[in-house]
Every structure is written in structure tokens, then in C-alpha cells.
């Protein structure tokens, strides 16, 4: 069996869209599943829009989500001479030709066609010119097949065909000597030994033209798999309008790479009803043939649900590592020990790493501000409850839960009033893990300090 060689070929012309990440993931899984190779090519021939920063974002994002590539990264702009050479070879072999039509002539012909209600296609004026003209700018055009059909047995879409009469003699080399995108892709895929081109179905029309180039070059045509694009819940193509679309945004919102990767995998591919799929299982099960034909809808709630799952699963040290970038501090020593102790309860309420980083601050520092929902617990009776609790803390032998219950009873208030007052004082918030767990973790001394500070601030 021939080794599978796939590639991910992003253009560094903008942020990395999660749809592209899914394309990368499918390619990567297919390579790992088949013990093949996953290559990375940066398509940076659009000099105006490609930036080094975007290129770096691609590398960082792939690393973050755990997609590693084989071999050296191929930089498309390094290979322009080779692409150009292929264009001239095709002319020599009679598979392509110099076209001397000026831009002006072409525009005029196009206008005439459109005005008479026809669709425009280059009329092949120069296709059979016998002599080479000198001193006139030219482009190189492919002698596209005129008769018959071009058929793609797409691994995802099934058999797709186009009548060759619909295809143009496409430009391979522009008049400024630069290769066109279609030519560059084909030459690179061929030279890199790509066996399977797996990409978004927005490239399907390019595929028909690219196949013409393969044929003209006499090269093996790779297998193609065009995966449906990702749509928003409203059925429109996923865009900024639907919220975050770049992978960095999800990272910044506190999503774990495992969650995003699991979710993207499930968008368009399924293994029975399995929702939670580990990377190892994905590699074992993934096959491009099982990718669905219909567009998938991005549902942030499902992603969040997976995120909650992976947050719970992740070990303490790793979680703290992720959290620290959102905390403004790297919790170490005592703070880290406390967070580790309280982590299980904190995780119960966390949808994202950002949530977790926020809620963990109770183990890092004394509240410096109080949520306005806490103000309710600054009224006289609540301060009285807190004062009594503080006094009771001197005796550390008995259970603080029992003490709190008794104080509430003695003051004729519900237990929840007591607990919420403690919560406000200890955490500066109205939602947190059990206050008795918090007292246990931060210790009696610090708990008392926090309660006293609260009383002092709000006492009139
Ligand atoms: N550079 C193209 C893109 O980012 C991908 C081309 C391909 O996969 O053939 O859409
Ligand atoms: Zn021409």
C-alpha cells in the first residue's frame, strides 16, 4: 500500500479560522490513522495580505491544539521559480500557450458577452497561434480539455462532474511572471507527494481546473475529499457575526484545546453516538470516508459542555498552568496548595478556564472588592451574625458548620442568611464552593481576618 501523504495549506492572510483548524485536524487524523504523513505548507504568495504575524499564529495554534506536522514546513513563496518553470515546460510540450490578448481586449469581450446575456469565457484566440511574438506582454494559459467531462470521485462528496466545455483555458503564469494560485497548488502538491487533498468544499470548483493541470503535466491525480463548511446555528456560513471564529479567541475565552479539538472532530464526523472522544480513539476510528456531506452547525453550548468535561478531567497542576495566564499571577507556594485542595469544588461550577481562574482567586488573596450583590449582607443583622461567628472561631475544636447553625438559630434567621453572610465576607461574592470548605482550606486565622475586614468596611 502506498503511504498516505496529506497536507494542511493555510494562507497567512488573516487569523486562523476554526473551520481551517478542523480541516487541519481531519488531515492530521487521517495521516495518523493510516500511519501516513501530515505536511504543512504556508501559502503566502499573496504578498499584500500575508504577514509573519499570521504565520506565527498558525504555528502557535497548531501547537496549542496538538497537531504536529511531519518534515519541514514548505513555504510556497520559496517555490515560485519552480512553478514558473512548470508553466514554461507545459508550453514546450504543447500543453499550454502564450496568450497576448491585452487586458483591454479581454474586458471588451467580456462586456459584449455579458451585454448579450452570455457567460464569459476566454475565447481561446491565442490557443493555436503558430508563431511566438516578441516584445508583447503575455500570460501563459493552459490548453484545457474541450470535450468530455472532468470527474472527481470525491471521498466525501461522492462522484462530482463538470462538463469540460464549462472550463476556461486558465492562466498559469501572469504577465508579470508570477504563477497563479491554481498552478502553485498543483505543483506543490505534486512535488510534496500528496496522495490525498482534504480541504473545504469551497475549493471544489478549483479542483476541476487543478485536475486539468495534473493531466497536462502527466502527473498522478491525488484523491480529493471536500469537507462541508461550518455554519452557524442560523444556517449561515460561520462568520464573526456568530461570535468568535478564530482559534485564538477560543483560547482566550478559556476553552481547553482538548474540548475544541473534540468538538471540531464531531462537527461533520461521528462515531456512533460518542460525544467524548479522546485523541487516541479519534486516531483509531477516523476515516475521511465517514465525514458527512451536509454542512455542520457550530453550537457553542455543545463546545462549552465538552469544556466542562475536560476541565473536570484535567489534573490540578495542568489546570493551574492554564489558569495562571488569566490570573495575572502565577500561583505558587501556599496559594497553589490551597487551589489544589479546593479545585474539585471549583471545577463543579466552571464552564471555562476563565471562570476557574476567577473563582480560584479566593485562595490567592483576601477580597479587595465586593460584588454589589454582597451589599445585602452588610446590614446590621448580618454583621451581628458575623461578629458572633468570629468570636466562636477562637475555639477551633468544634465544627464550624454546627456553630453557624446555632448562631442562626439564636438570632432567628435562616441558616442560608448566615452562610451567605460568611460567603460575602470570605469571598467577596455570593457564589462559591461551601464556605466551610473555604474556611478549612484558608485556615482559621485568615478566615477571621477576612470576616473582620468585611465588618470593618461595612460597619456604620
Ligand atoms: N490556502 C488555501 C486556503 O487557505 C487552501 C488551499 C488548499 O487546501 O488547496 O483556503
Ligand atoms: Zn489571447
Amino acid at each position: 500500500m502506498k503511504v498516505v501523504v496529506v497536507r494542511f495549506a493555510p494562507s497567512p492572510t488573516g487569523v486562523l479560522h476554526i473551520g481551517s483548524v478542523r480541516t487541519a485536524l481531519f488531515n492530521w487524523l487521517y495521516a495518523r490513522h493510516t500511519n501516513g504523513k501530515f505536511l504543512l505548507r504556508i501559502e503566502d504568495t499573496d504578498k499584500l495580505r500575508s504577514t509573519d504575524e499570521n504565520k506565527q499564529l498558525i504555528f502557535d495554534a497548531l501547537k496549542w491544539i496538538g497537531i504536529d506536522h511531519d518534515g519541514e514546513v514548505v513555504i510556497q513563496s520559496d517555490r515560485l521559480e519552480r512553478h514558473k518553470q512548470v508553466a514554461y515546460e507545459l508550453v514546450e510540450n504543447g500543453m499550454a500557450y502564450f496568450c497576448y490578448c491585452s487586458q483591454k481586449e479581454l474586458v471588451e469581450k467580456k462586456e459584449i458577452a455579458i451585454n448579450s446575456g452570455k457567460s464569459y469565457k476566454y475565447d481561446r484566440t491565442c490557443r493555436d497561434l503558430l508563431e511566438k511574438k516578441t516584445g508583447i506582454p503575455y500570460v501563459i494559459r493552459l490548453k484545457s480539455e474541450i470535450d468530455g467531462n472532468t470527474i472527481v470521485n470525491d471521498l466525501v462528496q461522492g462522484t462530482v462532474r463538470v462538463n469540460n466545455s464549462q472550463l476556461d483555458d486558465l492562466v498559469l503564469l501572469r504577465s508579470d511572471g508570477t504563477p497563479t494560485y491554481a498552478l502553485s497548488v498543483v505543483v506543490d502538491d505534486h512535488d510534496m507527494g500528496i496522495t490525498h487533498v482534504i480541504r473545504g468544499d469551497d475549493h471544489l470548483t478549483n479542483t476541476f481546473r487543478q485536475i486539468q493541470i495534473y493531466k497536462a503535466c502527466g502527473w498522478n491525480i491525488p484523491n480529493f475529499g471536500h469537507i462541508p463548511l461550518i455554519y452557524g446555528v442560523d444556517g449561515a456560513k460561520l462568520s464573526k457575526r456568530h461570535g468568535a471564529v478564530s482559534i485564538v479567541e477560543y483560547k482566550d475565552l478559556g476553552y481547553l484545546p482538548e474540548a475544541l479539538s473534540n468538538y471540531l472532530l464531531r462537527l461533520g464526523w461521528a462515531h456512533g453516538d460518542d460525544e467524548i472522544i479522546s485523541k487516541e480513539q479519534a486516531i483509531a476510528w477516523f476515516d475521511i470516508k465517514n465525514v458527512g456531506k451536509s454542512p455542520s452547525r457550530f453550537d457553542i453550548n455543545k463546545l462549552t459542555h465538552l469544556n466542562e468535561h475536560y476541565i473536570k478531567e484535567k489534573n490540578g497542576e495542568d489546570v493551574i498552568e492554564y489558569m495562571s495566564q488569566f490570573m495575572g499571577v502565577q500561583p505558587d507556594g501556599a496559594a497553589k496548595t490551597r487551589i489544589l485542595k479546593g479545585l474539585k469544588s471549583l471545577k463543579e461550577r466552571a464552564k471555562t478556564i476563565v471562570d476557574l481562574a476567577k473563582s480560584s482567586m479566593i485562595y490567592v488573596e483576601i477580597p479587595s472588592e465586593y460584588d454589589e450583590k454582597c451589599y445585602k449582607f452588610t446590614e446590621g443583622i448580618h454583621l451581628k451574625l458575623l461578629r458572633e461567628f468570629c468570636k466562636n472561631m477562637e475555639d477551633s475544636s468544634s465544627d464550624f458548620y454546627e456553630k453557624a447553625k446555632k448562631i442562626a438559630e439564636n438570632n432567628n434567621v435562616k441558616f442560608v442568611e448566615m452562610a451567605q453572610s460568611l460567603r460575602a465576607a470570605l469571598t467577596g461574592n455570593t457564589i462559591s464552593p461551601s464556605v466551610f470548605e473555604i474556611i478549612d482550606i484558608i485556615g482559621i486565622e485568615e478566615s477571621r481576618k477576612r470576616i473582620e475586614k468585611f465588618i470593618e468596611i461595612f460597619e456604620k
Side-chain angles (χ1 to χ4, degrees):
M1 263 281 276
K2 215 171 144 198
V3 178
V4 166
V5 184
V6 294
R7 55 30 168 213
F8 176 50
S11 307
T13 49
V15 294
L16 193 60
H17 192 282
I18 46 171
S20 301
V21 177
R22 189 187 55 160
T23 300
L25 180 67
F26 283 6
N27 275 288
W28 181 83
L29 285 171
Y30 192 54
R32 296 294 171 255
H33 175 77
T34 55
N35 276 319
K37 287 198 184 322
F38 171 77
L39 309 182
L40 178 59
R41 179 170 77 231
I42 303 292
E43 302 205 320
D44 60 341
T45 52
D46 182 345
K47 281 286 163 228
L48 288 178
R49 291 167 58 227
S50 301
T51 67
D52 280 343
E53 194 193 343
N54 287 332
K55 196 160 85 180
Q56 193 56 46
L57 280 177
I58 293 170
F59 297 144
D60 293 347
L62 293 180
K63 184 158 184 241
W64 179 73
I65 206 155
I67 297 179
D68 58 334
H69 61 87
D70 300 308
E72 294 278 307
V73 179
V74 173
I75 305 292
Q76 192 160 60
S77 61
D78 290 347
R79 299 182 31 85
L80 297 180
E81 280 309 312
R82 160 72 178 148
H83 306 157
K84 209 165 150 174
Q85 176 207 337
V86 171
Y88 281 98
E89 273 170 23
L90 286 173
V91 175
E92 245 152 66
N93 299 336
M95 306 308 281
Y97 60 94
F98 298 113
C99 162
Y100 304 97
C101 299
S102 70
Q103 211 44 39
K104 188 165 164 275
E105 284 170 81
L106 295 177
V107 169
E108 279 167 12
K109 285 183 181 171
K110 188 170 183 175
E111 267 169 17
I112 293 171
I114 288 173
N115 289 341
S116 59
K118 289 192 208 125
S119 70
Y120 170 73
K121 222 171 56 180
Y122 173 62
D123 63 5
R124 298 180 164 129
T125 304
C126 307
R127 181 164 166 136
D128 301 310
L129 289 184
L130 293 174
E131 272 160 61
K132 192 173 172 191
K133 301 188 189 180
T134 48
I136 305 178
Y138 59 84
V139 301
I140 293 181
R141 285 185 187 270
L142 183 75
K143 274 192 192 166
S144 215
E145 285 175 20
I146 294 175
D147 304 315
N149 294 304
T150 298
I151 298 171
V152 183
N153 291 314
D154 194 278
L155 297 167
V156 176
Q157 310 284 335
T159 303
V160 208
R161 73 180 69 222
V162 65
N163 197 306
N164 287 340
S165 66
Q166 281 170 271
L167 300 175
D168 219 335
D169 278 359
L170 65 113
V171 175
L172 301 174
L173 201 73
R174 300 185 191 93
S175 57
D176 64 1
T178 58
T180 54
Y181 174 68
L183 177 65
S184 295
V185 170
V186 169
V187 176
D188 285 350
D189 281 342
H190 171 261
D191 289 0
M192 290 163 75
I194 302 301
T195 59
H196 293 71
V197 173
I198 300 167
R199 58 187 173 192
D201 67 7
D202 49 337
H203 284 287
L204 189 57
T205 50
N206 293 336
T207 298
F208 294 115
R209 316 169 107 215
Q210 290 171 10
I211 286 176
Q212 296 288 323
I213 303 177
Y214 280 101
K215 284 188 180 167
C217 292
W219 293 338
N220 274 338
I221 300 171
N223 297 290
F224 288 96
H226 289 91
I227 52 186
L229 299 184
I230 302 177
Y231 289 74
V233 270
D234 59 355
K237 199 175 142 189
L238 193 69
S239 71
K240 269 252 145 283
R241 200 164 53 74
H242 296 98
V245 288
S246 89
I247 177 163
V248 178
E249 284 174 277
Y250 284 94
K251 181 179 172 212
D252 292 346
L253 287 168
Y255 287 90
L256 285 173
E258 291 89 340
L260 193 59
S261 152
N262 189 153
Y263 184 60
L264 290 177
L265 171 66
R266 289 283 290 99
L267 270 185
W269 177 86
H271 183 266
D273 288 331
D274 292 327
E275 291 288 347
I276 310 271
I277 302 173
S278 72
K279 221 159 223 177
E280 292 69 33
Q281 289 170 321
I283 291 173
W285 296 335
F286 186 83
D287 194 330
I288 189 69
K289 291 191 195 96
N290 300 337
V291 172
K293 254 206 260 192
S294 47
S296 18
R297 295 187 177 205
F298 189 87
D299 182 347
I300 185 86
N301 295 323
K302 287 192 179 156
L303 170 62
T304 305
H305 186 70
L306 286 170
N307 207 42
E308 290 173 83
H309 167 83
Y310 283 103
I311 285 175
K312 290 198 180 82
E313 263 205 344
K314 205 170 243 333
N315 82 51
E317 295 283 336
D318 290 349
V319 169
I320 290 180
E321 188 62 37
Y322 276 105
M323 273 160 47
S324 58
Q325 56 182 319
F326 299 109
M327 295 178 86
V329 283
Q330 178 84 38
D332 51 10
K336 187 166 171 182
T337 311
R338 289 165 164 195
I339 295 175
L340 284 172
K341 276 192 193 152
L343 203 52
K344 189 164 185 293
S345 309
L346 293 169
K347 281 176 169 182
E348 291 300 322
R349 284 167 197 79
K351 292 189 187 307
T352 66
I353 295 288
V354 172
D355 290 349
L356 203 55
K358 272 194 199 142
S359 61
S360 297
M361 288 309 283
I362 57 172
Y363 295 126
V364 178
E365 58 187 22
I366 290 183
S368 53
E369 51 191 43
Y370 299 88
D371 188 277
E372 60 182 41
K373 289 202 202 87
C374 293
Y375 295 166
K376 183 172 154 210
F377 303 103
T378 62
E379 288 153 17
I381 177 67
H382 297 284
L383 294 189
K384 180 163 183 277
L385 295 172
L386 289 175
R387 258 186 228 108
E388 284 180 28
F389 190 83
C390 255
K391 209 172 282 158
N392 267 279
M393 288 186 101
E394 280 152 27
D395 164 24
S396 60
S397 58
S398 66
D399 185 325
F400 287 119
Y401 171 74
E402 288 303 328
K403 283 179 182 172
K405 227 168 93 179
K406 203 154 277 146
I407 296 170
E409 257 168 42
N410 292 344
N411 284 282
N412 254 327
V413 296
K414 286 196 185 121
F415 177 69
V416 56
E417 298 288 323
M418 176 78 237
Q420 283 300 76
S421 311
L422 282 170
R423 178 164 283 123
L426 291 168
T427 70
N429 224 309
T430 50
I431 303 162
S432 80
S434 144
V435 288
F436 305 103
E437 180 182 342
I438 295 171
I439 293 173
D440 191 44
I441 292 174
I442 64 177
I444 296 172
E445 267 315 297
E446 169 139 0
S447 302
R448 196 157 62 194
K449 237 164 75 188
R450 292 189 185 191
I451 298 169
E452 278 166 359
K453 178 181 172 186
F454 187 82
I455 295 171
E456 205 184 297
I457 291 177
F458 293 107
E459 205 164 41
K460 275 132 211 158

